Amino acid sequence: MHVPDGFINAPTSAVAGVVAAGAVAVSLRGARRELDERTAPLAGLVAAFIFAVQMLNFPVAAGTSGHLLGGALAAILVGPFTGVLCVSVVLLMQGILFADGGLTALGVNITVMACVTTVVAYAVFRGLVKVLPRTRRSVTVASFAAALLSVPAAALAFTLFYWIGGTTDIAIGKVATAMVGVHVLIGIGEALITSLTVGAVIAVRPDLVYGARGLQQKLRLRVNGELVDAPAAEGARTAPVAARTSRRTLWVTGLVTSLVLAGFVSFYASASPDGLEKVAADKGIDAKAEEHAAAGSPLADYGVKDVDDARLSGGLAGVIGVGVTVAAGSAVFWTVRRRRTDDVSPSGTSA
Protein backbone atom coordinates (compact mmCIF):
# COMPACT_ATOMS: atom_id res chain seq x y z
CA MET A 1 0.00 0.00 0.00
CA HIS A 2 3.06 2.29 0.09
CA VAL A 3 2.44 4.54 -2.92
CA PRO A 4 5.69 5.34 -4.78
CA ASP A 5 6.54 8.57 -6.60
CA GLY A 6 4.98 8.89 -10.03
CA PHE A 7 1.67 7.07 -9.43
CA ILE A 8 -0.21 10.26 -8.52
CA ASN A 9 0.38 13.61 -10.24
CA ALA A 10 1.93 16.60 -8.51
CA PRO A 11 -1.23 18.72 -7.91
CA THR A 12 -3.11 15.81 -6.33
CA SER A 13 -0.05 14.86 -4.27
CA ALA A 14 0.19 18.46 -3.06
CA VAL A 15 -3.47 18.49 -2.00
CA ALA A 16 -2.97 15.17 -0.23
CA GLY A 17 0.03 16.68 1.53
CA VAL A 18 -2.11 19.52 2.83
CA VAL A 19 -4.78 17.08 4.00
CA ALA A 20 -2.16 14.93 5.72
CA ALA A 21 -0.52 17.94 7.38
CA GLY A 22 -3.92 19.06 8.69
CA ALA A 23 -4.69 15.58 9.98
CA VAL A 24 -1.35 15.37 11.77
CA ALA A 25 -1.89 18.82 13.31
CA VAL A 26 -5.34 17.81 14.57
CA SER A 27 -3.93 14.53 15.86
CA LEU A 28 -1.13 16.29 17.75
CA ARG A 29 -3.75 18.31 19.56
CA GLY A 30 -6.11 15.37 20.12
CA ALA A 31 -3.30 13.12 21.35
CA ARG A 32 -2.82 15.40 24.35
CA ARG A 33 -6.11 14.06 25.73
CA GLU A 34 -5.16 10.45 25.05
CA LEU A 35 -1.58 10.32 26.31
CA ASP A 36 -0.66 10.17 29.97
CA GLU A 37 2.36 8.95 31.92
CA ARG A 38 1.26 5.34 31.36
CA THR A 39 0.44 5.39 27.66
CA ALA A 40 3.11 7.76 26.26
CA PRO A 41 5.85 5.08 26.42
CA LEU A 42 3.44 2.51 24.95
CA ALA A 43 2.74 4.76 21.95
CA GLY A 44 6.41 4.83 20.93
CA LEU A 45 6.53 1.06 21.28
CA VAL A 46 3.39 0.66 19.14
CA ALA A 47 5.06 2.64 16.33
CA ALA A 48 8.15 0.42 16.51
CA PHE A 49 6.03 -2.74 16.56
CA ILE A 50 4.09 -1.60 13.49
CA PHE A 51 7.37 -0.92 11.68
CA ALA A 52 8.63 -4.40 12.55
CA VAL A 53 5.46 -6.24 11.54
CA GLN A 54 5.23 -4.32 8.27
CA MET A 55 8.47 -6.08 7.29
CA LEU A 56 6.68 -9.43 7.52
CA ASN A 57 4.91 -9.80 4.20
CA PHE A 58 2.59 -12.81 4.25
CA PRO A 59 1.40 -14.66 1.11
CA VAL A 60 -2.14 -13.94 -0.01
CA ALA A 61 -2.94 -15.49 -3.39
CA ALA A 62 -1.70 -15.72 -6.99
CA GLY A 63 1.82 -14.52 -6.26
CA THR A 64 0.68 -11.61 -4.09
CA SER A 65 1.62 -10.76 -0.52
CA GLY A 66 0.36 -8.36 2.11
CA HIS A 67 1.53 -6.78 5.31
CA LEU A 68 0.08 -5.00 8.31
CA LEU A 69 -1.06 -1.40 7.82
CA GLY A 70 -1.39 -0.83 11.56
CA GLY A 71 -4.01 1.89 11.80
CA ALA A 72 -6.55 -0.29 13.58
CA LEU A 73 -3.97 -1.71 15.97
CA ALA A 74 -2.64 1.71 16.92
CA ALA A 75 -6.09 3.28 17.34
CA ILE A 76 -7.30 0.53 19.66
CA LEU A 77 -4.14 0.35 21.76
CA VAL A 78 -3.35 4.06 22.18
CA GLY A 79 -6.30 6.01 20.77
CA PRO A 80 -7.29 7.28 17.29
CA PHE A 81 -5.39 10.58 17.38
CA THR A 82 -2.24 8.96 18.72
CA GLY A 83 -2.78 6.12 16.25
CA VAL A 84 -2.58 8.52 13.30
CA LEU A 85 0.71 9.83 14.70
CA CYS A 86 2.08 6.30 15.23
CA VAL A 87 1.54 5.25 11.63
CA SER A 88 2.73 8.66 10.34
CA VAL A 89 6.03 8.27 12.22
CA VAL A 90 6.47 4.81 10.69
CA LEU A 91 5.76 6.09 7.17
CA LEU A 92 8.18 8.99 7.62
CA MET A 93 10.99 6.68 8.77
CA GLN A 94 10.29 4.25 5.92
CA GLY A 95 10.24 6.98 3.29
CA ILE A 96 13.38 8.81 4.41
CA LEU A 97 15.61 5.94 5.51
CA PHE A 98 14.41 2.88 3.59
CA ALA A 99 13.12 4.36 0.31
CA ASP A 100 9.75 2.72 0.93
CA GLY A 101 6.89 4.95 -0.18
CA GLY A 102 7.61 8.01 -2.29
CA LEU A 103 8.57 11.29 -0.67
CA THR A 104 6.31 13.29 -2.99
CA ALA A 105 3.61 10.70 -2.20
CA LEU A 106 4.09 10.99 1.57
CA GLY A 107 0.88 12.99 1.89
CA VAL A 108 -1.04 10.33 -0.02
CA ASN A 109 0.46 7.56 2.11
CA ILE A 110 -0.30 9.31 5.41
CA THR A 111 -3.85 10.07 4.31
CA VAL A 112 -4.51 6.52 3.08
CA MET A 113 -2.50 4.38 5.51
CA ALA A 114 -2.62 6.49 8.68
CA CYS A 115 -5.81 8.55 8.55
CA VAL A 116 -8.30 6.39 6.65
CA THR A 117 -7.38 3.13 8.38
CA THR A 118 -7.44 4.71 11.83
CA VAL A 119 -10.71 6.59 11.40
CA VAL A 120 -12.56 3.68 9.79
CA ALA A 121 -11.19 1.11 12.23
CA TYR A 122 -11.95 3.13 15.34
CA ALA A 123 -15.46 4.02 14.16
CA VAL A 124 -16.22 0.34 13.56
CA PHE A 125 -14.57 -0.66 16.83
CA ARG A 126 -16.51 1.86 18.94
CA GLY A 127 -19.77 0.90 17.27
CA LEU A 128 -19.25 -2.77 18.03
CA VAL A 129 -18.13 -2.41 21.66
CA LYS A 130 -21.28 -0.40 22.36
CA VAL A 131 -23.53 -3.28 21.34
CA LEU A 132 -21.40 -6.23 22.46
CA PRO A 133 -21.03 -7.31 26.10
CA ARG A 134 -18.26 -5.35 27.80
CA THR A 135 -15.78 -8.19 28.08
CA ARG A 136 -12.24 -8.81 26.95
CA ARG A 137 -13.46 -11.19 24.28
CA SER A 138 -15.76 -8.52 22.85
CA VAL A 139 -12.85 -6.08 22.57
CA THR A 140 -10.87 -8.71 20.67
CA VAL A 141 -13.79 -9.50 18.35
CA ALA A 142 -14.37 -5.82 17.67
CA SER A 143 -10.64 -5.42 16.95
CA PHE A 144 -10.80 -8.18 14.35
CA ALA A 145 -13.77 -6.64 12.53
CA ALA A 146 -12.36 -3.11 12.67
CA ALA A 147 -8.99 -4.17 11.24
CA LEU A 148 -10.62 -6.29 8.54
CA LEU A 149 -12.69 -3.39 7.22
CA SER A 150 -9.94 -0.78 7.49
CA VAL A 151 -7.77 -2.35 4.77
CA PRO A 152 -10.26 -2.34 1.85
CA ALA A 153 -11.27 1.15 3.00
CA ALA A 154 -7.65 2.23 2.48
CA ALA A 155 -7.66 0.52 -0.93
CA LEU A 156 -10.74 2.55 -1.89
CA ALA A 157 -9.06 5.73 -0.68
CA PHE A 158 -6.06 5.06 -2.93
CA THR A 159 -8.44 4.36 -5.81
CA LEU A 160 -10.07 7.74 -5.22
CA PHE A 161 -6.70 9.50 -5.34
CA TYR A 162 -5.82 7.58 -8.50
CA TRP A 163 -9.16 8.51 -10.08
CA ILE A 164 -8.46 12.20 -9.37
CA GLY A 165 -4.76 12.33 -10.25
CA GLY A 166 -3.50 9.05 -11.65
CA THR A 167 -0.64 9.40 -14.13
CA THR A 168 -1.80 6.59 -16.41
CA ASP A 169 -5.08 6.16 -18.26
CA ILE A 170 -6.62 3.05 -16.70
CA ALA A 171 -10.35 2.44 -16.23
CA ILE A 172 -11.08 3.30 -12.61
CA GLY A 173 -13.55 0.44 -12.26
CA LYS A 174 -10.82 -2.08 -13.00
CA VAL A 175 -8.50 -0.44 -10.49
CA ALA A 176 -11.16 -0.41 -7.79
CA THR A 177 -12.14 -4.05 -8.35
CA ALA A 178 -8.54 -5.25 -8.30
CA MET A 179 -7.50 -3.13 -5.29
CA VAL A 180 -10.49 -4.02 -3.13
CA GLY A 181 -10.40 -7.68 -4.11
CA VAL A 182 -6.80 -8.29 -3.07
CA HIS A 183 -6.98 -6.04 -0.01
CA VAL A 184 -10.00 -7.86 1.40
CA LEU A 185 -7.72 -10.89 1.58
CA ILE A 186 -4.91 -8.83 3.09
CA GLY A 187 -7.45 -7.47 5.58
CA ILE A 188 -7.91 -10.98 6.98
CA GLY A 189 -4.21 -11.09 7.83
CA GLU A 190 -4.45 -7.59 9.29
CA ALA A 191 -7.42 -8.65 11.41
CA LEU A 192 -5.64 -11.73 12.78
CA ILE A 193 -2.49 -9.79 13.70
CA THR A 194 -4.49 -6.95 15.26
CA SER A 195 -6.86 -9.12 17.31
CA LEU A 196 -4.06 -11.38 18.56
CA THR A 197 -1.93 -8.41 19.59
CA VAL A 198 -4.80 -6.57 21.29
CA GLY A 199 -5.81 -9.80 23.02
CA ALA A 200 -2.27 -10.37 24.28
CA VAL A 201 -1.95 -6.85 25.70
CA ILE A 202 -5.43 -6.82 27.22
CA ALA A 203 -4.70 -10.14 28.95
CA VAL A 204 -1.82 -8.63 30.94
CA ARG A 205 -2.49 -4.86 31.05
CA PRO A 206 -6.10 -4.04 30.13
CA ASP A 207 -5.70 -0.65 31.77
CA LEU A 208 -3.20 0.36 29.07
CA VAL A 209 -5.48 -0.49 26.13
CA TYR A 210 -7.29 2.68 25.09
CA GLY A 211 -10.16 0.78 23.52
CA ALA A 212 -10.71 -1.21 26.73
CA ARG A 213 -10.97 1.76 29.08
CA GLY A 214 -14.05 1.36 31.22
CA LEU A 215 -13.81 -2.41 31.05
CA GLN A 216 -14.54 -3.35 34.65
CA GLN A 217 -14.81 -6.45 36.74
CA LYS A 218 -18.18 -6.74 38.48
CA LEU A 219 -18.59 -8.32 41.87
CA ARG A 220 -20.54 -11.59 41.57
CA LEU A 221 -22.43 -13.35 44.35
CA ARG A 222 -23.68 -16.91 44.57
CA VAL A 223 -27.44 -16.94 45.16
CA ASN A 224 -29.29 -20.26 45.36
CA GLY A 225 -26.32 -21.96 43.71
CA GLU A 226 -26.08 -19.49 40.80
CA LEU A 227 -23.66 -16.60 40.21
CA VAL A 228 -25.34 -13.23 39.77
CA ASP A 229 -24.03 -9.70 39.47
CA ALA A 230 -24.05 -7.89 42.79
CA PRO A 231 -25.98 -4.60 42.73
CA ALA A 232 -23.60 -1.65 42.87
CA ALA A 233 -23.96 0.70 45.80
CA GLU A 234 -25.12 4.18 44.91
CA GLY A 235 -22.11 6.30 43.93
CA ALA A 236 -19.73 3.34 44.15
CA ARG A 237 -17.50 2.14 41.33
CA THR A 238 -16.69 -1.42 40.46
CA ALA A 239 -13.08 -2.52 40.74
CA PRO A 240 -10.89 -2.25 37.64
CA VAL A 241 -9.45 -5.38 36.11
CA ALA A 242 -6.12 -6.11 37.76
CA ALA A 243 -2.86 -5.86 35.82
CA ARG A 244 -0.74 -8.99 35.56
CA THR A 245 2.59 -7.41 34.64
CA SER A 246 4.41 -4.12 35.09
CA ARG A 247 4.58 -1.43 32.45
CA ARG A 248 8.35 -1.80 32.25
CA THR A 249 8.09 -5.55 31.67
CA LEU A 250 5.47 -5.02 28.97
CA TRP A 251 7.58 -2.36 27.26
CA VAL A 252 10.76 -4.46 27.30
CA THR A 253 8.88 -7.52 26.07
CA GLY A 254 7.31 -5.53 23.24
CA LEU A 255 10.63 -4.01 22.21
CA VAL A 256 12.43 -7.36 22.23
CA THR A 257 9.60 -8.89 20.20
CA SER A 258 9.84 -6.06 17.65
CA LEU A 259 13.60 -6.49 17.35
CA VAL A 260 13.28 -10.24 16.84
CA LEU A 261 10.55 -9.83 14.23
CA ALA A 262 12.45 -7.17 12.27
CA GLY A 263 15.94 -8.55 12.78
CA PHE A 264 15.33 -12.27 12.31
CA VAL A 265 11.81 -13.31 11.31
CA SER A 266 11.65 -10.74 8.48
CA PHE A 267 14.21 -12.79 6.52
CA TYR A 268 11.53 -15.43 6.02
CA ALA A 269 8.83 -13.01 4.85
CA SER A 270 7.19 -13.51 1.46
CA ALA A 271 9.15 -12.05 -1.45
CA SER A 272 6.03 -11.71 -3.64
CA PRO A 273 4.89 -8.19 -4.54
CA ASP A 274 2.37 -6.68 -2.16
CA GLY A 275 -1.20 -5.83 -3.09
CA LEU A 276 -0.56 -2.41 -4.62
CA GLU A 277 2.60 -3.54 -6.43
CA LYS A 278 0.77 -6.49 -7.96
CA VAL A 279 -2.22 -4.44 -9.09
CA ALA A 280 0.07 -1.71 -10.42
CA ALA A 281 2.07 -4.20 -12.49
CA ASP A 282 -1.02 -6.01 -13.79
CA LYS A 283 -3.00 -2.89 -14.71
CA GLY A 284 -0.14 -0.67 -15.89
CA ILE A 285 -0.43 1.83 -13.05
CA ASP A 286 3.34 1.74 -12.58
CA ALA A 287 4.12 2.88 -16.14
CA LYS A 288 5.30 6.28 -14.92
CA ALA A 289 6.75 5.25 -11.56
CA GLU A 290 9.82 7.30 -10.60
CA GLU A 291 12.99 6.32 -8.81
CA HIS A 292 12.85 7.08 -5.11
CA ALA A 293 14.65 10.23 -4.02
CA ALA A 294 16.28 8.25 -1.21
CA ALA A 295 17.30 5.31 -3.42
CA GLY A 296 20.92 5.95 -2.47
CA SER A 297 20.22 5.70 1.26
CA PRO A 298 22.53 3.28 3.15
CA LEU A 299 19.35 1.47 4.28
CA ALA A 300 17.41 1.54 1.00
CA ASP A 301 15.22 -1.51 0.34
CA TYR A 302 15.66 -2.68 3.95
CA GLY A 303 19.30 -3.67 3.62
CA VAL A 304 22.55 -2.21 4.92
CA LYS A 305 24.83 -0.92 2.18
CA ASP A 306 28.11 -2.83 1.66
CA VAL A 307 26.92 -5.78 3.79
CA ASP A 308 26.93 -8.68 1.33
CA ASP A 309 25.21 -11.31 3.47
CA ALA A 310 21.47 -10.90 2.75
CA ARG A 311 20.36 -12.29 6.10
CA LEU A 312 22.72 -10.06 8.07
CA SER A 313 22.01 -7.00 5.91
CA GLY A 314 18.23 -7.27 6.27
CA GLY A 315 18.44 -8.09 9.96
CA LEU A 316 20.64 -5.10 10.72
CA ALA A 317 18.36 -2.82 8.72
CA GLY A 318 15.35 -4.11 10.64
CA VAL A 319 16.99 -3.60 14.02
CA ILE A 320 18.11 -0.09 13.06
CA GLY A 321 14.61 0.70 11.83
CA VAL A 322 13.00 -0.45 15.07
CA GLY A 323 15.51 1.55 17.12
CA VAL A 324 15.06 4.74 15.09
CA THR A 325 11.28 4.42 15.06
CA VAL A 326 10.92 3.83 18.80
CA ALA A 327 13.27 6.76 19.48
CA ALA A 328 11.48 9.14 17.09
CA GLY A 329 8.04 8.02 18.20
CA SER A 330 8.86 8.26 21.90
CA ALA A 331 10.27 11.77 21.39
CA VAL A 332 7.08 12.89 19.65
CA PHE A 333 4.74 11.37 22.22
CA TRP A 334 6.65 12.57 25.26
CA THR A 335 6.67 16.07 23.76
CA VAL A 336 2.91 15.90 23.24
CA ARG A 337 2.49 14.56 26.76
CA ARG A 338 4.60 17.41 28.16
CA ARG A 339 2.51 19.96 26.29
CA ARG A 340 -0.58 18.50 27.94
CA THR A 341 1.07 18.83 31.35
CA ASP A 342 2.01 22.44 30.61
CA ASP A 343 -1.54 23.22 29.47
CA VAL A 344 -3.11 22.02 32.73
CA SER A 345 -0.45 23.36 35.10
CA PRO A 346 -1.35 26.33 37.34
CA SER A 347 1.18 28.54 35.54
CA GLY A 348 -0.54 27.82 32.22
CA THR A 349 -3.99 28.98 33.40
CA SER A 350 -5.27 32.44 34.06
CA ALA A 351 -7.01 33.46 37.26
Side-chain angles (χ1 to χ4, degrees), residues 115-337:
C115 301
V116 172
T117 58
T118 301
V119 170
V120 170
Y122 198 70
V124 173
F125 176 81
R126 292 307 305 172
L128 288 175
V129 295
K130 285 183 179 180
V131 299
L132 293 173
R134 294 196 59 78
T135 64
R136 297 179 186 179
R137 181 172 298 178
S138 296
V139 173
T140 305
V141 170
S143 300
F144 184 96
L148 176 62
L149 294 176
S150 70
V151 178
L156 283 173
F158 165 78
T159 304
L160 177 61
F161 276 117
Y162 184 78
W163 179 55
I164 296 171
T167 55
T168 54
D169 187 16
I170 309 296
I172 195 63
K174 294 181 178 179
V175 175
T177 300
M179 284 293 293
V180 173
V182 70
H183 284 90
V184 165
L185 299 177
I186 294 173
I188 297 173
E190 177 105 8
L192 289 171
I193 295 170
T194 299
S195 59
L196 288 173
T197 304
V198 170
V201 177
I202 205 172
V204 295
R205 286 303 300 258
D207 59 309
L208 296 182
V209 178
Y210 185 88
R213 290 183 178 181
L215 184 66
Q216 296 178 322
Q217 192 174 45
K218 294 183 178 180
L219 177 63
R220 309 198 75 190
L221 301 177
R222 186 173 296 277
V223 179
N224 297 327
E226 295 183 1
L227 287 174
V228 297
D229 293 335
E234 186 176 354
R237 294 182 178 180
T238 54
V241 180
R244 295 183 182 179
T245 188
S246 67
R247 278 179 287 162
R248 178 176 296 180
T249 300
L250 176 65
W251 196 92
V252 171
T253 301
L255 180 60
V256 170
T257 301
S258 300
L259 290 170
V260 170
L261 292 175
F264 177 73
V265 181
S266 62
F267 181 77
Y268 301 98
S270 173
S272 299
D274 66 24
L276 177 58
E277 291 172 335
K278 179 66 173 175
V279 172
D282 290 347
K283 303 300 181 183
I285 295 175
D286 60 356
K288 295 186 179 180
E290 301 173 1
E291 184 179 18
H292 200 286
S297 166
L299 299 173
D301 297 324
Y302 297 94
V304 177
K305 188 177 181 179
D306 298 328
V307 176
D308 296 329
D309 185 275
R311 186 191 298 267
L312 179 60
S313 178
L316 286 175
V319 169
I320 293 170
V322 168
V324 172
T325 304
V326 75
S330 297
V332 169
F333 300 125
W334 275 114
T335 300
V336 173
R337 164 63 183 157

